[in-house]
Amino acid sequence: SSCSCSKNSASQKRVSLSIVFMSRLASLPRTLFANRVSRLSFAGKERNRVRRDRTMAFSPSAESLPSPSWKNDKSAAALVRGLREAVESCNDVTEEDLSSNKFIDLLVSGSHVGHVRPDFAEALVKHGKLEAADGYALFSKSEKGVVCFDSENRYASSEEKTRVVAEVFEKMRELSLIPGWRSEMFPVVSDEGDVCMNVERASASLLGIKAFGVHVNGYVNSNSSGNSESKVLLWVGTRSKDKQTFPGMLDHLSAGGLPAGMAPTICAVKELAEEAGVPEKYSEENVKSVSCVSYRMFYKECVKRDVLFCYDLELGESFVPKPVDGEVESFELLPLERVCEIIAFEPGRFKPNCVLVIIDFAIRKGIVTCDMPGFPELVKALRR
């Protein structure tokens, strides 16, 4: 869902600092785990086949799952292994992929911002000339083979860069080179965490830039069983079968892309109201910023690099969310243990990036613990 953006310059500065901080936070694991073992890269067709098979494994009966029984190392290891596999399905882009001829680096003002497919790189160079500026090539290819935006640095400010790139992308849209136009702006953030400019959301994966989103864990602490300890229940949505992406799959209470210029918490509150009917006043007072996860996956043969801001919202047992904007068909309240089992043992049921946020939630709620075999590797995989 699109959310209106604040134009106040002071707010823009705070948002930029927030994105810079979280972007750098998301990159910490690369430093901490620089010597990780590289995974084998599979051809695009094989990746798509595997994903298709995982999705077809969807079983409509969540209630058929057995009650959790993670009382021994063997069962706990199986659970963590299944969770890890779900996370790794969002991290199938390897360093070898990025350094191969599959992608070309994209630079803005000398800073690396993305990974572009060779065919789209050629389209940028071919159609990236500004007629109003004597045919100046806004996108050009350097001797090193990388694509540079505004190599002569004619446009100094991020506002100027945003304006001229919009002219080029509008022309490419008319040529059907940028499909799925959203009329929503995403920030272009360098590897150093600087916001360089804003671009149309539909171009994000084509450019291979880092994109940002918010996901909300809507949960209930239920003690209806009469036990002294409460049970954590998670609201799970089923995406509309008419959705362009991941139709019919399980999803969060609410989630959405973070537009340029909008603070993550404001976006979370608006998404909760628009997708699940949660009153904005209640969300403003109770939604909590808790974590951040990131991943790097192939999406339509492009590199999708996302950073997700994670939020928790505790809801009363009497509250029932309702679909508002049509993106979700229905909501169901499930024990968090059951949700973890669906992710681990019924791959393909959840929208892929949701699993990272839910696993992070399960760790913080003590469902997945340090005592389980494979726990450190699972935590590491949540932030790439």
Side-chain angles (χ1 to χ4, degrees):
S1 303
S2 297
C3 304
S4 59
C5 302
S6 171
K7 296 183 178 179
N8 182 276
S9 58
S11 175
Q12 288 275 1
K13 184 175 181 180
R14 289 194 297 272
V15 172
S16 296
L17 290 173
S18 172
I19 289 179
V20 168
F21 174 77
M22 296 308 292
S23 176
R24 289 173 177 167
L25 175 63
S27 67
L28 280 176
R30 290 198 298 272
T31 302
L32 297 173
F33 300 99
N35 294 323
R36 68 181 177 86
V37 178
S38 297
R39 291 170 284 111
L40 293 175
S41 172
F42 295 94
K45 290 185 179 179
E46 177 63 11
R47 271 193 309 272
N48 292 337
R49 184 191 65 76
V50 172
R51 282 189 183 145
R52 184 168 61 251
D53 291 347
R54 287 171 65 88
T55 301
M56 291 176 65
F58 175 90
S59 168
S61 177
E63 296 305 320
S64 64
L65 289 172
S67 299
S69 57
W70 310 331
K71 298 184 182 301
N72 58 67
D73 285 350
K74 186 175 180 180
S75 59
L79 177 80
V80 173
R81 184 166 55 251
L83 296 178
R84 173 74 182 278
E85 289 175 357
V87 173
E88 290 301 339
S89 71
C90 291
N91 283 309
D92 55 357
V93 177
T94 67
E95 293 296 333
E96 287 78 8
D97 290 323
L98 298 180
S99 60
S100 70
N101 58 7
K102 295 178 182 178
F103 298 101
I104 296 174
D105 289 336
L106 174 63
L107 306 183
V108 175
S109 300
S111 296
H112 182 267
V113 298
H115 305 275
V116 186
R117 284 193 336 235
D119 60 330
F120 192 69
E122 292 300 324
L124 289 172
V125 174
K126 180 179 180 180
H127 302 286
K129 294 181 173 61
L130 297 175
E131 297 177 3
D134 301 322
Y136 173 58
L138 194 60
F139 290 94
S140 59
K141 219 168 190 180
S142 73
E143 294 179 356
K144 295 182 179 179
V146 302
V147 174
C148 300
F149 172 87
D150 187 20
S151 60
E152 296 180 9
N153 294 317
R154 293 191 185 185
Y155 306 98
S157 69
S158 61
E159 291 79 10
E160 289 179 300
K161 290 182 175 68
T162 298
R163 176 179 60 81
V164 294
V165 79
E167 294 179 20
V168 171
F169 282 4
E170 183 63 43
K171 181 169 62 175
M172 296 179 70
R173 173 195 185 186
E174 294 173 357
L175 296 171
S176 300
L177 294 172
I178 303 179
W181 198 268
R182 305 287 290 273
S183 296
E184 185 177 340
M185 303 299 279
F186 268 17
V188 176
V189 181
S190 71
D191 289 354
E192 293 76 29
D194 300 314
V195 179
C196 304
M197 59 182 176
N198 300 327
V199 296
E200 156 62 30
R201 176 175 180 172
S203 69
S205 59
L206 290 167
L207 297 173
I209 62 173
K210 188 177 295 183
F212 300 85
V214 296
H215 280 235
V216 182
N217 298 297
Y219 71 100
V220 175
N221 274 322
S222 173
N223 52 14
S224 57
S225 61
N227 296 329
S228 58
E229 293 185 3
S230 61
K231 191 178 188 66
V232 179
L233 308 175
L234 187 69
W235 279 108
V236 175
T238 298
R239 292 169 67 84
S240 169
K241 292 181 176 60
D242 297 326
K243 283 285 289 180
Q244 185 178 10
T245 57
F246 309 106
M249 298 185 77
L250 300 181
D251 205 336
H252 269 109
L253 177 67
S254 70
L258 179 64
M262 177 172 288
T265 301
I266 292 176
C267 186
V269 170
K270 288 187 174 295
E271 293 290 346
L272 281 163
E274 293 175 0
E275 294 188 351
V278 181
E280 288 193 9
K281 182 174 175 56
Y282 182 85
S283 297
E284 289 170 353
E285 295 175 351
N286 294 280
V287 73
K288 299 184 186 303
S289 170
V290 291
S291 188
C292 177
V293 298
S294 59
Y295 62 94
R296 190 175 63 191
M297 70 184 294
F298 282 101
Y299 177 72
K300 296 182 178 179
E301 300 307 313
C302 298
V303 178
K304 185 174 174 62
R305 300 193 298 152
D306 286 0
V307 177
L308 305 180
F309 299 104
C310 307
Y311 287 82
D312 290 352
L313 179 66
E314 183 173 358
L315 296 162
E317 292 187 64
S318 61
F319 177 80
V320 178
K322 56 183 179 182
V324 177
D325 60 6
E327 294 200 1
V328 174
E329 288 185 352
S330 62
F331 291 99
E332 183 178 11
L333 191 60
L334 296 174
L336 183 54
E337 295 94 335
R338 182 65 55 83
V339 175
C340 288
E341 288 189 328
I342 294 173
I343 293 172
F345 304 128
E346 295 194 20
R349 291 199 61 180
F350 268 93
K351 179 173 175 281
N353 63 0
C354 291
V355 304
L356 285 81
V357 181
I358 294 173
I359 291 171
D360 175 81
F361 180 65
I363 290 170
R364 290 184 288 103
K365 290 300 181 182
I367 303 300
V368 179
T369 70
C370 301
D371 295 327
M372 293 181 171
F375 178 84
E377 291 77 15
L378 176 63
V379 173
K380 169 187 168 183
L382 293 175
R383 296 167 181 88
R384 290 293 171 87

